[in-house]
Amino acid sequence: MPTLTFSAAGQSFEVSEGTSLLEFCLENETPMRFGCTVGSCGTCCFVPESGAENLSEMEDEERDTLEMCTGEEGARLGCLVKVHGDVTIRQDGA
Ligand code: FES
């Protein structure tokens, strides 16, 4: 099973392959912050420290929101990604 790690909080979780990051975080106590949950506000923006290749592919909606809310290279939206392998996440404070 893939391991999902929140580096700032020092927390790791085993998740099923293909898990929605949003659904997992809503069902478990994780440090990840969400707002709209539908890919439009940017609150859930994070940068994968490792395992970016293990996240679902970025679609236009996610790309458009990221362009509006951050210029950070490699940033993703937590409410839209699925986890397909080991990923380490850094979200400010998480
Ligand atoms: S929670 Fe709003 S974009 Fe993800």
Side-chain angles (χ1 to χ4, degrees):
M1 294 229 293
T3 301
L4 178 61
T5 302
F6 296 92
S7 60
Q11 291 184 344
S12 292
F13 301 86
E14 299 283 305
V15 301
S16 301
E17 199 277 340
T19 292
S20 154
L21 182 58
L22 172 66
E23 285 176 18
F24 181 81
C25 291
L26 292 179
E27 291 168 4
N28 296 276
E29 275 198 33
T30 75
M32 196 86 190
R33 293 183 311 278
F34 294 93
C36 67
T37 71
V38 292
S40 57
C41 73
T43 303
C44 64
C45 180
F46 72 94
V47 177
E49 284 189 345
S50 66
E53 70 279 8
N54 293 328
L55 294 172
S56 50
E57 277 194 33
M58 189 180 297
E59 297 190 5
D60 289 348
E61 177 189 16
E62 183 178 2
R63 191 170 290 111
D64 291 347
T65 299
L66 285 166
E67 281 176 10
M68 283 189 300
C69 67
T70 182
E72 199 157 2
E73 180 124 0
R76 300 296 307 265
L77 292 179
C79 67
L80 296 184
V81 299
K82 290 189 167 55
V83 180
H84 295 289
D86 294 351
V87 179
T88 299
I89 288 176
R90 174 173 58 84
Q91 187 187 37
D92 290 340

